[in-house]
Amino acid sequence: MSHDAVDLLQSLIRNRCVNDGTPESGFEVRSVGTLVEYLGVQGEVFEPMPGRQSLVYRIPGSDPEAPSLALVPHLDVVPVDAAGWSVDPFAAEIVEGFVYGRGAVDMLNVTAAMTVAVRPYLTGERKPRGDLLFCAVADEENGGQLGATPLVNDRWDLVRADYLLTEVAYPGLSFDDHRTVPVSIGEKGAYWSILETAGSPGHGSLPYGTDNALEKMITALAGVIDTPVPADVTEEWVSFVHNLGLDEESTRRLIDIDQLDDEIDRIAVFDPTLARYIHAATHLTISSNMLRAGTKTNVVADRAHAEVDIRGLPGMDRQFVDSHLRKAMGSAASHVEIRPIMDSDATVSTIGNPLWEAIGDAVEELDGHRNLAPTLMLVATDARFWRAKGTVCYGVGLFDDRMTFSEMLTLFHGHDERVSVASVERTTALYERVLSRFFAEA
Ligand SMILES: [Zn+2]
């Protein structure tokens, strides 16, 4: 069946469901068509805007008391800059055992694997004990407004579940023969913000003593950039590090808040991407990404507008973020208005339950160990809508050794996105086993 998954992955890539953030983009109807054709059974289709389709199947379990499980992959992908690619990003070519294309790791590989794993339950060949839900959604890459959000808000009767699998599937981590499979159990909060300053216009030839909005903004942003961001060694981080099988010294340094930053600097020398991941997993992060100001070269700037991407660990809420920004901006803070663009708190699911054990069983069968590392995702996914309703949500996949955890991080939304054929096959086998173990044991 894993051969089917590679074919499906290629079709999904070729469907080019590119979500550029506008409601007219995406056009997930194409991939819904592909999935329905493969599954051979019509599901419920939701289409809040023409072309923006999500596809839902709810297969009733044989035991009404048994827990339910939802598979929630997304169908859309982010845009590409084709000039940066060595191949056509939508041809889904296989080169040296890798399927290339936008969506290969985010997340059409998993979408294909889940689709193959769910088919025997839809055809009646297999029967789940609890309800099994398959929900392939649109618009994940733009916050789920035309996909998961209306489904969870308006059709909870249909999409409710005790357990759920979605993003993110990371490759395994391997240190000195100790293998670990990361399982995404939570995600950071997002506190994207607009900063605004105002001033008074005047002639640019007479700057002395003027009220310049751009200069105030630059002073404020310089404070934000220069101030160290708060760190936290969370419970999730400690258990992640303990599962990596590192030597005692490294383990100790990575979970000691006083040594953490030095250890990140040390790791950055040989693996900058891993250092960046560790930093983000243990800190409030702030990335100043947009700045606009003024009207003309010879007019004193009367307004400035900046946008910053801010992500918080569990417990770092909007109040925490604003108070950090105000302190960091120093005396410039009194001139700056902070306006939230996004306020979404961190969400985390607990471990040690029938789904966690089913994943452990499947990994043991396919990879020879049951070392699962609970991992905090740095990005927002559709899982947060279900977690807010009490659903336990994880993300998991099974890769071969041709791609490291760090390499994978650079491919998310990057050039030459690719996944090995063997990894698609292993991930498909993982989902087939997780379903059969979950419904056998739950
Ligand atoms: Zn994604």
Side-chain angles (χ1 to χ4, degrees):
M1 289 296 112
S2 45
H3 175 67
D4 290 1
V6 175
D7 285 350
L8 265 178
L9 169 61
Q10 288 178 294
S11 301
L12 294 172
I13 290 171
R14 289 173 186 143
N15 285 342
R16 295 179 180 248
C17 297
V18 176
N19 185 346
D20 65 13
T22 63
E24 299 75 31
S25 66
F27 221 64
E28 292 87 348
V29 57
R30 291 176 289 220
S31 286
V32 165
T34 301
L35 297 191
V36 171
E37 193 191 333
Y38 171 76
L39 292 168
V41 184
Q42 187 57 54
E44 281 203 54
V45 171
F46 294 87
E47 191 173 24
M49 284 273 299
R52 307 307 303 269
Q53 290 194 352
S54 296
L55 175 67
V56 182
Y57 297 88
R58 189 173 187 102
I59 305 155
S62 55
D63 175 359
E65 301 298 310
S68 50
L69 173 63
L71 306 180
V72 183
H74 67 78
L75 299 171
D76 56 327
V77 299
V78 294
V80 295
D81 172 8
W85 286 63
S86 62
V87 295
D88 175 348
F90 297 103
E93 273 173 72
I94 297 179
V95 183
E96 289 172 7
F98 281 93
V99 183
Y100 279 72
R102 176 55 89 221
V105 294
D106 182 10
M107 65 173 294
L108 304 180
N109 56 332
V110 178
T111 306
M114 286 177 168
T115 306
V116 171
V118 85
R119 185 162 75 166
Y121 294 88
L122 273 172
T123 56
E125 202 180 312
R126 283 174 158 268
K127 186 109 185 100
R129 264 188 68 195
D131 287 4
L132 172 58
L133 174 74
F134 180 71
C135 188
V137 295
D139 203 33
E140 192 275 345
E141 297 291 359
N142 195 42
Q145 295 153 34
L146 297 170
T149 312
L151 280 172
V152 170
N153 289 344
D154 308 336
R155 289 305 312 275
W156 185 243
D157 59 308
L158 181 70
V159 300
R160 72 191 188 282
D162 299 310
Y163 296 92
L164 181 147
L165 291 165
T166 181
E167 293 184 289
V168 171
Y170 293 114
L173 290 147
S174 181
F175 290 96
D176 297 336
D177 290 341
H178 182 96
R179 298 166 68 84
T180 307
V181 171
V183 179
S184 304
I185 62 157
E187 59 194 52
K188 291 179 83 175
Y191 303 98
W192 300 5
S193 302
I194 291 172
L195 308 182
E196 279 182 330
T197 55
S200 308
H203 202 288
S205 64
L206 295 164
Y208 178 78
T210 50
D211 182 21
N212 185 316
L214 176 57
E215 291 178 0
K216 288 191 278 198
M217 179 63 81
I218 288 171
T219 309
L221 284 178
V224 170
I225 293 162
D226 289 343
T227 305
V229 281
D232 190 13
V233 169
T234 59
E235 210 183 303
E236 294 77 34
W237 178 248
V238 172
S239 84
F240 180 79
V241 172
H242 278 300
N243 275 286
L244 295 179
L246 297 170
D247 62 81
E248 223 172 284
E249 174 65 12
S250 297
T251 302
R252 199 174 51 71
R253 289 168 62 87
L254 281 174
I255 61 176
D256 176 348
I257 198 150
D258 296 321
Q259 298 194 59
L260 176 63
D261 287 344
D262 288 342
E263 184 66 7
I264 292 172
D265 291 344
R266 195 182 70 77
I267 292 171
V269 174
F270 57 91
D271 193 339
T273 311
L274 184 61
R276 195 170 293 150
Y277 174 82
I278 295 171
H279 176 268
T282 53
H283 291 75
L284 178 75
T285 58
I286 304 179
S287 185
S288 304
N289 296 332
M290 291 178 73
L291 178 62
R292 278 199 306 275
T295 50
K296 196 168 183 292
T297 311
N298 64 350
V299 178
V300 172
D302 66 339
R303 56 180 181 271
H305 171 113
E307 294 187 21
V308 279
D309 179 347
I310 303 175
R311 316 258 174 167
L313 296 168
M316 296 178 171
D317 58 7
R318 171 52 75 175
Q319 202 188 343
F320 180 96
V321 167
D322 283 0
S323 122
H324 171 78
L325 287 176
R326 296 236 163 258
K327 258 185 265 162
M329 292 188 285
S331 59
S334 60
H335 305 296
V336 178
E337 190 195 339
I338 304 172
R339 288 202 287 122
I341 312 174
M342 192 185 283
D343 257 336
S344 158
D345 290 331
T347 61
V348 181
S349 293
T350 54
I351 63 172
N353 50 53
L355 180 56
W356 188 261
E357 294 309 320
I359 295 170
D361 290 345
V363 167
E364 188 165 8
E365 211 177 311
L366 296 165
D367 214 39
H369 62 86
R370 52 190 309 138
N371 307 320
L372 307 180
T375 306
L376 196 62
M377 288 177 288
L378 313 177
V379 296
T381 75
D382 284 338
R384 68 187 189 280
F385 306 120
W386 274 268
R387 274 204 199 95
K389 297 264 198 186
T391 303
V392 169
C393 304
Y394 301 140
V396 67
L398 200 60
F399 293 71
D400 62 5
D401 293 332
R402 295 183 69 192
M403 185 177 296
T404 65
F405 185 77
S406 300
E407 277 169 329
M408 165 88 160
L409 292 174
T410 66
L411 292 181
F412 267 92
H413 300 189
H415 298 323
D416 279 349
E417 188 177 344
R418 61 193 178 278
V419 65
S420 72
V421 167
S423 297
V424 177
E425 291 168 348
R426 277 162 65 78
T427 298
T428 306
L430 178 80
Y431 279 98
E432 288 168 341
R433 280 165 181 75
V434 167
L435 291 187
S436 75
R437 298 309 298 231
F438 179 84
F439 289 118
E441 290 183 355

